[in-house]
Amino acid sequence: MKVLLELLQTGMITAEDVYALNGQLLVPKGSALTEAMIHKMRVYSIRAVRIADNAEEAAASENPADNDYMGTNVPGFTSKIPDEVRKARVQNIKEYKEAYSKGLNYFQVAVNNLVTKNTDADIDSILNDTLSMLDAKGKNSSILDMLIYMKEYDSSVYAHCINVSLLCNMLAHWLDYSEEDCHMAAACGMFHDIGKLAIPEQILRKPGPLTPEERNLVNTHPEKGYQMLEEYKVAETVKLSALMHHEFCDGSGYPRRLKAGQIDHFAKLVTICNIYDAMTSERPYRKVMSPFAVIEYFEGIGLQKFDTRPILTFLENTVNTYLNCPVRLSNGMVGYVVFINRERLGRPTVQCGSEFVDLSKHKDLSIQEMLPIV
């Protein structure tokens, strides 16, 4: 029987695989629903799910241990996602890449013209036009998923600003902000790193460690960004986000070592999204990190550095988004995330064939990368 999302209860057994519109497997057939699974389906706007009517149907629906992936110690996995779903997902990714490319090109040209004063365009119109191309407003359920496919696309300041803008918009929606404040969060993210346009490109893309002099120069970009935005009619919180997105609530950030009460509210969101996107993107000096490695980094440096509600909301919703997603472990094993450890969000349990690997108990293992279901 089909059961509406709002009527689902923990312990109910799914009688079908539940997929997002982009083709991602959210909950396998035969799963006993948990709060995390129901939350994830809510995030992906699933309206109803077919639930087993009785014990016999539930038994028939049980998902074999290796239903979606091959066994342990193999270089890849075999998914049983229907071909039509897989094709729809590939098309979705293709269309998103095209929209991303269009939005990125527009944003780069518009910002360069703005900085060099070759245009009368204002910051609000740049934001609106870029987001409309990406069709991001109100459609946050697949942003994290789709950004995985953009990580090798472009490592420029412009791409980073767009990514942070999308993430800030998504985080604001998770926090149940008004549409006006979600829009403001996106604006703060989109222009937070504009000061880096005043830093020489060869320093930003230097493959090795920066010298102390180079590091000091890079660390001036928040001040430079604020000064650049001062020349335009822009909300004060957008300027403050450019200035404060490297400040931490415990006073350990820069450039002014501000503490919690001194930091702009939206800047606190930008700080979280800036770190997440920077660390999950490839840089000249290091490889891409998996989302779970970044979550573990957040937990490791101390959550007291961040505003409590935004950081917990971001981490919990992010790990729930990746529940049941395929991953590759640092030892080469592949599988999918089946359980989130609430005490150690960055170290979930991964099912590899018939084996369940609790990463909170295997300190020598970690999630090396997310694997696409295509």
Side-chain angles (χ1 to χ4, degrees):
M1 62 178 178
K2 279 279 189 179
V3 177
L4 293 175
L5 181 73
E6 55 266 28
L7 299 179
L8 291 177
Q9 298 179 14
T10 58
M12 287 182 171
I13 306 298
T14 55
E16 63 182 356
D17 290 330
V18 181
Y19 295 98
L21 291 177
N22 60 20
Q24 177 183 336
L25 178 65
L26 301 180
V27 181
K29 177 182 177 181
S31 298
L33 290 179
T34 64
E35 288 291 349
M37 291 177 182
I38 296 172
H39 175 80
K40 185 172 185 179
M41 289 189 286
R42 185 177 299 112
V43 169
Y44 278 81
S45 301
I46 302 300
R47 296 184 178 181
V49 178
R50 193 161 69 86
I51 296 298
D53 289 324
N54 50 51
E56 289 184 4
E57 185 177 351
S61 298
E62 287 183 358
N63 205 34
D66 60 350
N67 180 59
D68 291 292
Y69 305 98
M70 295 171 63
T72 58
N73 295 310
V74 293
F77 62 87
T78 298
S79 172
K80 292 188 177 181
I81 296 175
D83 286 342
E84 61 274 16
V85 174
R86 189 186 306 279
K87 290 177 181 178
R89 179 178 173 80
V90 171
Q91 181 62 27
N92 189 296
I93 293 169
K94 178 182 177 182
E95 291 175 358
Y96 192 83
K97 284 185 175 181
E98 291 173 354
Y100 188 93
S101 176
K102 184 179 179 181
L104 178 60
N105 289 337
Y106 169 81
F107 179 68
Q108 182 169 345
V109 171
V111 168
N112 282 337
N113 286 337
L114 194 72
V115 170
T116 57
K117 298 181 172 58
N118 288 331
T119 181
D120 293 328
D122 58 41
I123 282 179
D124 201 50
S125 66
I126 294 174
L127 172 71
N128 290 334
D129 291 345
T130 304
L131 288 182
S132 66
M133 291 179 198
L134 293 168
D135 198 23
K137 294 177 66 177
K139 294 185 178 180
N140 297 291
S141 62
S142 64
I143 292 301
L144 279 172
D145 186 42
M146 286 298 159
L147 284 183
I148 290 177
Y149 297 94
M150 304 299 120
K151 292 307 180 183
E152 296 180 2
Y153 187 91
D154 194 307
S155 60
S156 69
V157 172
Y158 307 98
H160 174 60
C161 285
I162 286 180
N163 294 349
V164 173
S165 177
L166 296 174
L167 291 170
C168 285
N169 183 273
M170 178 189 69
L171 176 54
H173 275 93
W174 282 344
L175 291 165
D176 294 323
Y177 284 10
S178 66
E179 281 302 317
E180 181 180 357
D181 282 347
C182 289
H183 185 80
M184 181 60 70
C188 291
M190 189 161 288
F191 296 98
H192 80 284
D193 247 0
I194 195 169
K196 281 190 176 176
L197 299 180
I199 307 297
E201 186 75 8
Q202 63 268 27
I203 293 180
L204 295 178
R205 292 188 173 274
K206 184 177 179 179
L210 298 180
T211 65
E213 294 76 17
E214 291 169 335
R215 172 53 58 192
N216 288 337
L217 179 59
V218 170
N219 287 354
T220 65
H221 79 270
E223 297 273 9
K224 292 181 184 296
Y226 182 84
Q227 293 165 5
M228 292 167 68
L229 292 172
E230 277 275 81
E231 300 182 27
Y232 303 98
K233 184 179 180 181
V234 58
E236 184 67 14
T237 193
V238 174
K239 293 185 284 187
L240 291 177
S241 291
L243 177 65
M244 300 177 179
H245 67 276
H246 283 289
E247 301 285 2
F248 290 126
C249 289
D250 63 356
S252 62
Y254 72 90
R256 301 184 180 180
R257 302 185 71 82
L258 302 177
K259 292 192 175 181
Q262 301 170 297
I263 304 172
D264 178 80
H265 175 69
F266 285 98
K268 293 175 181 178
L269 306 191
V270 176
T271 297
I272 295 168
C273 297
N274 172 57
I275 292 173
Y276 180 84
D277 183 69
M279 297 186 74
T280 55
S281 300
E282 187 156 355
R283 291 291 183 264
Y285 48 87
R286 62 161 172 77
K287 295 290 186 181
V288 173
M289 294 175 64
S290 80
F292 284 96
V294 179
I295 290 168
E296 191 170 8
Y297 166 81
F298 274 114
E299 294 177 312
I301 66 173
L303 298 185
Q304 70 273 12
K305 290 182 179 290
F306 309 94
D307 195 1
T308 303
R309 183 167 175 248
I311 187 61
L312 292 179
T313 298
F314 182 84
L315 297 183
E316 289 174 0
N317 278 276
T318 298
V319 295
N320 283 335
T321 297
Y322 291 124
L323 189 64
N324 292 319
C325 283
V327 298
R328 188 187 309 278
L329 301 183
S330 54
N331 66 353
M333 295 169 65
V334 297
Y336 55 98
V337 177
V338 294
F339 179 77
I340 302 300
N341 182 350
R342 296 301 168 188
E343 300 300 318
R344 297 287 301 278
L345 294 174
R347 301 193 70 81
T349 296
V350 178
Q351 182 178 355
C352 301
S354 59
E355 181 179 353
F356 290 83
V357 183
D358 183 349
L359 294 178
S360 68
K361 298 179 181 178
H362 292 271
K363 306 299 176 59
D364 56 323
L365 292 178
S366 61
I367 294 176
Q368 187 175 54
E369 64 176 321
M370 310 299 295
L371 298 176
I373 313 177
V374 293

